[in-house]
Amino acid sequence: LAKTTQPISMDSYEGQEVNITCSHNNIATNDYITWYQQFPSQGPRFIIQGYKTKVTNEVASLFIPADRKSSTLSLPRVSLSDTAVYYCLVGESNAGKSTFGDGTTLTVKP
Amino acid sequence: KAGVTQTPRYLIKTRGQQVTLSCSPISGHRSVSWYQQTPGQGLQFLFEYFSETQRNKGNFPGRFSGRQFSNSRSEMNVSTLELGDSALYLCASKDRGSTDTQYFGPGTRLTVL
């Protein structure tokens, strides 16, 4: 499995755009990049998944450069309810043995 | 579709006892994975079952075991509980496909006294 590296924590204010970058230098050709959000004492929730370039859904965008060695989760206009831990996961589909890193704790302030 | 359900949601046991946790995956999903989450160790993979067969296993002692039934429901068992087994146990199901996104249940909070 590709090892991922994310910032441990980030702070933001309501209404701002937040970008969280994940490094995955050893990503394999078949690996997808998936981001999850987790609130305290709840299971992680799928946010977005991509393979290359840009993916957008109703809650976030995912930017993946051509070399795919990193990815950036973009949350537009965050609110207090976006305060959570965000995990970047690479290669879960093939390995079937998912490894979550430490995640990024995002704190949104009023 | 209904999401992943886990029962019970909360459980208190004492050291030396055993516990069985249950997980019902999303209808149609045949893969079920189990994770342990603690403040110190984060989210750690326990094992994955697919069509009643254990497909992958994490680095946990043999006290942790699981099984999957023909309807894809899964159980995990922890025998001879230790204080360090106190954790949030999460179950995730996924459909077999090229991207295999996991969908997590709410978890079972196990406290070992």
Side-chain angles (χ1 to χ4, degrees):
Chain A
L1 282 176
K3 178 177 167 56
T4 61
T5 303
Q6 305 174 230
I8 295 297
S9 63
M10 294 182 69
D11 290 342
S12 183
Y13 290 93
E14 283 190 291
Q16 289 188 331
E17 177 184 74
V18 171
N19 295 310
I20 306 174
T21 297
C22 178
S23 296
H24 29 80
N25 291 320
N26 297 323
I27 188 169
T29 303
N30 295 332
D31 287 343
Y32 279 77
I33 300 157
T34 311
W35 285 81
Y36 292 86
Q37 174 194 56
Q38 187 180 27
F39 299 111
S41 297
Q42 294 185 25
R45 182 177 74 100
F46 170 83
I47 301 175
I48 197 166
Q49 184 180 70
Y51 183 80
K52 62 180 179 180
T53 62
K54 177 184 174 183
V55 179
T56 297
N57 62 21
E58 62 276 8
V59 299
S61 294
L62 179 60
F63 299 91
I64 305 168
D67 65 7
R68 304 199 328 119
K69 293 184 183 299
S70 67
S71 59
T72 299
L73 173 71
S74 181
L75 304 172
R77 299 178 299 283
V78 294
S79 64
L80 297 177
S81 62
D82 292 318
T83 294
V85 179
Y86 292 82
Y87 294 96
C88 162
L89 196 65
V90 174
E92 66 176 306
S93 63
N94 290 330
K97 187 175 177 177
S98 307
T99 302
F100 285 76
D102 293 332
T104 297
T105 298
L106 172 66
T107 302
V108 180
K109 303 174 182 178
Chain B
K1 288 183 180 179
V4 177
T5 58
Q6 293 186 244
T7 57
R9 292 294 312 279
Y10 303 92
L11 204 51
I12 299 176
K13 291 286 188 178
T14 57
R15 279 184 302 173
Q17 287 187 310
Q18 76 166 17
V19 66
T20 300
L21 311 181
S22 181
C23 171
S24 292
I26 292 172
S27 177
H29 287 191
R30 294 162 65 189
S31 167
V32 173
S33 295
W34 288 89
Y35 295 83
Q36 180 195 65
Q37 187 171 35
T38 60
Q41 298 297 320
L43 261 167
Q44 292 189 289
F45 173 79
L46 279 157
F47 28 67
E48 179 195 9
Y49 285 87
F50 181 83
S51 294
E52 303 179 65
T53 301
Q54 188 179 86
R55 188 157 68 172
N56 286 293
K57 190 176 190 301
N59 189 27
F60 277 82
R63 300 186 296 108
F64 292 82
S65 63
R67 59 178 177 170
Q68 186 180 34
F69 302 95
S70 58
N71 61 358
S72 294
R73 189 178 70 86
S74 178
E75 289 181 346
M76 68 162 282
N77 183 78
V78 188
S79 62
T80 319
L81 284 167
E82 300 176 359
L83 295 179
D85 297 332
S86 294
L88 180 67
Y89 288 89
L90 293 160
C91 162
S93 77
K94 63 184 179 183
D95 194 6
R96 190 175 183 181
S98 60
T99 60
D100 289 7
T101 300
Q102 297 186 81
Y103 297 90
F104 285 81
T108 294
R109 171 71 64 185
L110 172 64
T111 302
V112 182
L113 302 176

